[in-house]
Structures are given as structure tokens and as C-alpha cells.
Amino acid sequence: MASLLSICFTALFFLQINGHCSSTPDALNGDRPLHVSSAGSFKIALFADLHYGENAWTDWGPAQDVNSDRVMSTVLDIEKPDFVVYLGDIITANNLPIQNASLYWDKATSPTRERGLPFSTVFGNHDDAPFEWPSDWFSPSGLPEIRCPPDILRRGACVFRGTIRTQLMAGEINRDPLSRSRVGPSGLWPSVSNYVLRVESMGRRAGSVVAFLYFLDSGGGTYPEVISNAQARWFKSTSEEINPNSSVPELVFWHIPSKDYKKVTPRKPCVGSINKERVAAQQDEWGMMDILTRRHSVKAVFVGHNHGLDWCCPYKNLWLCFARHTGYGGYGDWPRGARVIEIAEQPFSVKSWIRMEDGHSHSEVILSS
Amino acid sequence: MASLLSICFTALFFLQINGHCSSTPDALNGDRPLHVSSAGSFKIALFADLHYGENAWTDWGPAQDVNSDRVMSTVLDIEKPDFVVYLGDIITANNLPIQNASLYWDKATSPTRERGLPFSTVFGNHDDAPFEWPSDWFSPSGLPEIRCPPDILRRGACVFRGTIRTQLMAGEINRDPLSRSRVGPSGLWPSVSNYVLRVESMGRRAGSVVAFLYFLDSGGGTYPEVISNAQARWFKSTSEEINPNSSVPELVFWHIPSKDYKKVTPRKPCVGSINKERVAAQQDEWGMMDILTRRHSVKAVFVGHNHGLDWCCPYKNLWLCFARHTGYGGYGDWPRGARVIEIAEQPFSVKSWIRMEDGHSHSEVILSS
């Protein structure tokens, strides 16, 4: 018995360190699967473009974050999701004259964490951006009171270059067991939030995978707004490895819409409530959409970034969806809300709608058809 | 005798620490004066826009730096100046995928240091800028070989956010006694290269100040391209303190032209050889030019930034001068050179000309008239 335990521990140790001595594919090593509820469904709330931390040196900025807290709390209490996805631009780092932006990152995830819900995050273009000094700080009014050690110049301590993606992610993962985020393969650097999570069945079919959720870093901030060819190849090889027959449905999440979003015109059979601006797409397309649109198991892509768009449109084999601007930070005064996604196991379906801050819902759409 | 020495040392100690128990004004504390030569003159070479470190991952980039070395060496060997001013954009930090850009900063100053010449530096808009990732690194060709530790993501070690102004400056000052640069008052932060140097007489009039050289940080890179109101007030109070009757001539050096440069039209009596582009001025004007143009001891302002301009134009009580693009880095293919300034003590005059990389000179102008 003792030697069996010893072998087992040794195997587990190697699994943790090397991730090679197991039949679990590399991409899922260390992953803790999510599970459908006892009702046979799995509900995801998408919080997009929260933009925490704006103008912390004024009254206005912190008030926006309180409002965003309220929006998230409302949605979580009405929908009671099984999982929450933070879809980038969680903070407005270019508006943060502090050294460690994890403070605001944690604030943004607190409504979810307080309710004990698992969650994961991807990066937007504002999350690791360097601080942009307001030009009026150079006028006679001067600099406001900001958090700086007194001996600024000698210590070089008061530099606001943004908190790097790996630090934000490590901060989240290390602090909170509810986080299911992962730092992606180093070969995909400088992109970081590249990982896959599986949603598993419970009960009789326990362990079988109901859906794969793919998270990608669409860049921006410290590097171009793009999904690289290396990321596209990673998705292709990973999905072919862990879902070789495309038998399990796949949903994909990132922040900045691909250029293909520009190709769809949001009229029927699209579903949404606002179409107030042009699609602000990634700067290049290096193969990701080609791969997705050739893979019939991919049901939908979900992005944020455009605060004035909330539609889902069919495109080739899948749906291209915007989330809904959730935060009071960031541009635009359209009423706030959150896209909700519900995966049903038997029969399989993916349904989505938008839950608004005043409690009402709209724009229900079936994405698995 | 012992107690006299003790008092003397105590006084010196307080002078170093507090800068208050001496008749030396604060702005000059720790300053080592420069001196006119035995011929009664003081010659300055201005090296502007060297842009070291471009495309280090190709053959082209390092070749540019070798060319810039040659330009500086030519000018130094012909002119044999008493002092060298590096007028900003010494490096192109936004093109540097390394963590500590002091490596390239040192390369740029090496022709001067090798000749044992004192020098000082001001910051341009490229010196502390964060790295801009080339978009083709995200294409199928991928990232080139760049200097990174192997375990990029875990250590967070491979982040190219630029080397902060205080680190670049501290690196220079601590490494080399020939540097006369100084980190300016902390109240002027985030601007850093704000200081004044004095050129003193030798011989019979030893100790009397022949000219004050003011260096200012005109911003850019990590913060807006601007001279702040705080800097303008610092110049005003400092110049009124150390040169109360405006009896000593003053020259002023910074990188980005003020908006007033746009007001002059480079025709006679301006002097220069190229006028190939529009003035790319600072984004705001917060009082610096008002103060300078009301102070008759200010003879000239020298800037770089525009590689296609090399003129000096009279403006109110002073001259507005461009340097000459010295580096092979940076935009533009106009032949490289350096502006030279010669201060004569008796009778006082400030003369300037441009020395080209092929050895010839042109555009001589008297700036003290």
C-alpha cells in the first residue's frame, strides 16, 4: 500500500512539474474542469470593458467603479451564473498613476469573488498600458496628490509604466483559488492570456466534456492589437489534440474584434439592441479566423472593445458576438449590462441574451443552430 | 587649527546634505564649473538626434551606430571642443527590445568620453519610450532572436518598457566623472534633465562666470512633449537668484522646439542650410518662452528633434536655433553634422556654425548681437 502511494505521489509530482508523464494533453495540464449544474446547464456571465481605476485622483473616477460594482452585482444576483468571464479592459491602466495595477484588477473581480464564483480573465488593450500623463498636470495647476514615495527621483520608484500582463495574471491566480485563468505557453509571448478550459458533465456522464472554452489574448497596450500566427497555430494544434473529431462544441473569447467582424452587417438574422459605432478591429489577421471558420465545432466568438455594439451575427459556420459594455469606466453612455451564455447539455444548445443593469433582459439568440 | 578644520568639515557636510548653509545657490550645489580655455574661449559641440540602438536584431541597425560614431569622431577631431552637449534622442528606446537601454546610451557618448571631454545630456522624446513591437513579428515569420531569459513568462523578466529617465541619468552620472549632467529638482518631475552649469573664467578673472548654460527636459516618451509651468518657474527663480542683474549671458538647451519656433520664418537674417520640414513643436506652452523673451541675458535657445531643419533665427531678444541631425539613426537622409557654439570671453561673443561629416563648415552666425 505504502509503495503504491509512493508511486502515485511521484507520478503526481512529475505531472505538476513536467506535465509530460500523463495522458492529459499539455493544454489541459493543471486545468481544473468546470462542471454543468445539477440542472444540466452551464451559465456564463460576460463582464466586458469594466475600465476600473479611471481618474483615481478625482471624485468622478472612484464613483464609476462603485457603479460598475453595482452593475455586476445586479447581474450576478439575477442570473446566478456558474462562471464569469472578464473579457478584457478590466482596468484602464493608462489612467492609473500607480505602480501595481493589481489593486484595481482585484477590485474589478471582487463582486464575483465575494459570491464564491469561479472566473477567468483575458487581456484587453488597456490592461497593461502605460500611464498617459494628463496635459493639464503641466499647466500652472500642477500635479495632483498622487501616491508616490517622497524621494521620487533618487529611488526612481514613482514610475507608471503599467503592470505587466504576467504580473497581473500571476497576482490573480496566486491570490484566488476561484481564478481559472492561466498564463499561456511562453512561445506565444508577448501574448499571455491564452488557455483552454473544459466544461464537464456531472452525474451519469461525469467526466465527459460538454464544451471547451478558449481564451485568447488579442493584444494591445504594450504591443499591437493582434492575434498572432503563433496563437492561431496554438489553437489549431490544441483543438486538434484535445478534440480531434470536433465532437465537442467550442466557444472562443477574446477582447478586440477580428477584421471579419467588419464583414457582417448587423441586420436580420443578427440579434442585438445597439449598433452605434464602427467595428474597431485588430490591426492584422494572421490566420485565426481562417482556422475557426473551418472548424465546425466552433459555435461562437465573443469580444468586447466596442462599447456601442452588442449584436451577434452569423458568419460562415459560427456566430460573431459582441458582449455588452458592463463598466461605467470607458467611453459611451449606453445603458450597462452583461451578455449571458447558457450551455445546455442534453440536448446540446448554446443560448445567449443580455441582462441589463435595470434587471430586464433582451436580445435572446440561439448560437448552436 | 583642529577646531577650525572641524568647523570647516561640518560646514562642508551640511553643504552637501542640505545645500542651505552656504552662499552657493541651491541650483549650483554640487556643480563643477566648466572653464574657458587658455585662449579665452569655450567651444561646445552639439550632438543632436543620434538615435542609437535602432533595429539591433538586423545588420542595418548596428551599422547606423557605427556611422554615427564616425560623424562624432570627425567633428570632435576637427573642432576639438571644450564641452559636448547631447541634445536628446540619444537612443531610440522605442526600437530597443532590451531591459536596460543604458548600454546604448553609453555607446552614444563613447566618442566624447574616449577623448576625455566633459559632456552633458538632455532627454528627447525617444530616450525613455517603451518598445514598439514590429507588427511583422506577429506574422508567420515570428519573433527574431532577441535577448531574453529562457523562462520569459514566469520571471516576467523580458519586458521592454523603456529605461526610465532617472535610471539613464544615474547610469551616466555614476559611471563617468566626465558627465556634468544632473538630475533636476524632484518638484519638476516627471521631467528630469533640468539643471544649470556655469562656464567660469580662468587666469586673472578666475572664478567669474562667463556664461550660464541651462538644460531643460522638454518631455516626450513616457509623458507629454512639453516644458511645464513648474519648469518655467524653476528657470525664472534660479536665473534671478544666480544671475540677479542679468549680467551674465545665458544659453538654453532642450530637445523639442517650443511653439514660438513656428512663428519665425527662416529667411534673412536667419542663417542655416536646410529647411525641409515643418517645425514639430511641443504640444503646449506653459510660460517658458514668455520668461526667456523677457530676459535680455538669454542669447539663444538650441533644440534638435526636427532632422530636416538647421537654422538660427532671431526672435525678440534672442535667437531660436536648431542643431543639426548628427546621427544615422532616425528619419531623414540629409548629410549629418553638428552645430558648434563658441563663447568668447573678451570681448564677449557667441558664434555658431555647423560642421559637417565631410569636414566642411557652413552657416556661421553671431548669436550675441
Side-chain angles (χ1 to χ4, degrees), chain B residues 114-191:
Chain B
E114 284 163 8
R115 287 164 177 79
L117 295 170
F119 68 97
S120 73
T121 58
V122 293
F123 292 109
N125 50 304
H126 284 278
D127 292 307
D128 78 342
F131 181 59
E132 290 168 15
W133 290 75
S135 64
D136 64 350
W137 289 13
F138 299 87
S139 75
S141 66
L143 273 61
E145 286 286 328
I146 45 178
R147 298 176 191 210
C148 257
D151 193 359
I152 295 167
L153 291 174
R154 288 197 190 191
R155 294 188 200 168
C158 222
V159 179
F160 311 139
R161 296 187 292 182
T163 304
I164 62 173
R165 277 168 150 84
T166 48
Q167 283 170 342
L168 287 169
M169 199 57 111
E172 176 195 315
I173 295 169
N174 294 338
R175 260 190 306 276
D176 207 308
L178 291 167
S179 166
R180 301 300 173 96
S181 300
R182 296 169 69 191
V183 169
S186 62
L188 306 187
W189 179 80
S191 75

Side-chain angles (χ1 to χ4, degrees), chain B residues 35-327:
Chain B
H35 292 99
V36 297
S37 69
S38 53
S41 65
F42 185 77
K43 192 191 277 187
I44 304 166
L46 281 190
F47 293 149
D49 298 272
L50 290 159
H51 288 276
Y52 269 63
E54 296 192 346
N55 282 41
W57 58 94
T58 65
D59 291 337
W60 174 87
Q64 304 305 300
D65 295 349
V66 171
N67 289 337
S68 302
D69 280 348
R70 193 188 61 240
V71 177
M72 287 190 278
S73 297
T74 301
V75 171
L76 293 173
D77 292 342
I78 294 174
E79 294 287 357
K80 301 196 187 324
D82 303 295
F83 188 60
V84 174
V85 174
Y86 284 82
L87 204 57
D89 285 1
I90 295 166
I91 57 177
T92 306
N94 48 305
N95 207 227
L96 281 176
I98 62 169
Q99 284 199 280
N100 185 356
S102 288
L103 176 72
Y104 287 95
W105 191 270
D106 285 353
K107 275 192 186 179
T109 58
S110 65
T112 298
R113 292 186 289 113
E114 284 163 8
R115 287 164 177 79
L117 295 170
F119 68 97
S120 73
T121 58
V122 293
F123 292 109
N125 50 304
H126 284 278
D127 292 307
D128 78 342
F131 181 59
E132 290 168 15
W133 290 75
S135 64
D136 64 350
W137 289 13
F138 299 87
S139 75
S141 66
L143 273 61
E145 286 286 328
I146 45 178
R147 298 176 191 210
C148 257
D151 193 359
I152 295 167
L153 291 174
R154 288 197 190 191
R155 294 188 200 168
C158 222
V159 179
F160 311 139
R161 296 187 292 182
T163 304
I164 62 173
R165 277 168 150 84
T166 48
Q167 283 170 342
L168 287 169
M169 199 57 111
E172 176 195 315
I173 295 169
N174 294 338
R175 260 190 306 276
D176 207 308
L178 291 167
S179 166
R180 301 300 173 96
S181 300
R182 296 169 69 191
V183 169
S186 62
L188 306 187
W189 179 80
S191 75
V192 168
S193 58
N194 303 291
Y195 54 99
V196 53
L197 301 177
R198 57 193 153 165
V199 182
E200 288 191 354
S201 195
M202 293 283 271
R204 203 162 44 86
R205 290 161 43 85
S208 67
V209 182
V210 175
F212 285 112
L213 312 179
Y214 280 89
F215 300 86
L216 282 123
D217 192 333
S218 55
T222 53
Y223 75 91
E225 299 184 348
V226 70
I227 291 178
S228 69
N229 183 263
Q231 287 172 282
R233 284 185 280 114
W234 169 80
F235 171 81
K236 188 169 189 294
S237 62
T238 302
S239 59
E240 287 174 356
E241 182 187 10
I242 66 177
N243 190 15
N245 305 317
S246 290
S247 55
V248 179
E250 294 154 330
L251 302 179
V252 185
F253 302 86
W254 67 66
H255 180 71
I256 305 173
S258 296
K259 285 176 178 285
D260 284 14
Y261 272 73
K262 289 177 152 181
K263 297 179 187 167
V264 297
T265 310
R267 57 172 81 116
K268 278 191 175 178
C270 298
V271 181
S273 74
I274 52 169
N275 183 43
K276 300 291 189 184
E277 52 179 347
R278 289 189 183 179
V279 170
Q282 293 167 34
Q283 75 175 62
D284 287 306
E285 172 57 43
W286 291 119
M288 190 67 198
M289 288 307 298
D290 267 359
I291 293 167
L292 293 181
T293 52
R294 285 176 188 167
R295 189 167 172 83
H296 74 261
S297 42
V298 179
K299 300 304 173 196
V301 178
F302 301 91
V303 301
H305 195 56
N306 272 106
H307 303 179
L309 303 174
D310 74 350
W311 42 259
C312 283
C313 286
Y315 179 68
K316 300 183 180 174
N317 60 305
L318 47 77
W319 287 78
L320 298 179
C321 288
F322 280 97
R324 176 83 188 203
H325 186 197
T326 307

Side-chain angles (χ1 to χ4, degrees), chain A residues 17 99 128 130-143 146 148 150-164 166-167 183-192 222-224 226-231 233 283-284 286, chain B residues 17 99 128 130-143 146 148 150-164 166-167 183-192 222-224 226-231 233 283-284 286:
Chain A
I17 299 299
Q99 286 198 279
D128 78 342
F131 181 59
E132 290 168 15
W133 290 75
S135 64
D136 63 349
W137 288 13
F138 299 87
S139 75
S141 64
L143 274 60
I146 45 180
C148 256
D151 193 359
I152 295 167
L153 292 174
R154 287 191 193 198
R155 293 190 202 166
C158 221
V159 179
F160 311 138
R161 296 188 292 182
T163 303
I164 62 174
T166 48
Q167 283 170 344
V183 169
S186 62
L188 306 186
W189 179 79
S191 75
V192 169
T222 54
Y223 76 90
V226 71
I227 291 178
S228 70
N229 182 263
Q231 287 171 281
R233 283 185 282 114
Q283 73 175 63
D284 287 306
W286 289 119
Chain B
I17 300 300
Q99 284 199 280
D128 78 342
F131 181 59
E132 290 168 15
W133 290 75
S135 64
D136 64 350
W137 289 13
F138 299 87
S139 75
S141 66
L143 273 61
I146 45 178
C148 257
D151 193 359
I152 295 167
L153 291 174
R154 288 197 190 191
R155 294 188 200 168
C158 222
V159 179
F160 311 139
R161 296 187 292 182
T163 304
I164 62 173
T166 48
Q167 283 170 342
V183 169
S186 62
L188 306 187
W189 179 80
S191 75
V192 168
T222 53
Y223 75 91
V226 70
I227 291 178
S228 69
N229 183 263
Q231 287 172 282
R233 284 185 280 114
Q283 75 175 62
D284 287 306
W286 291 119

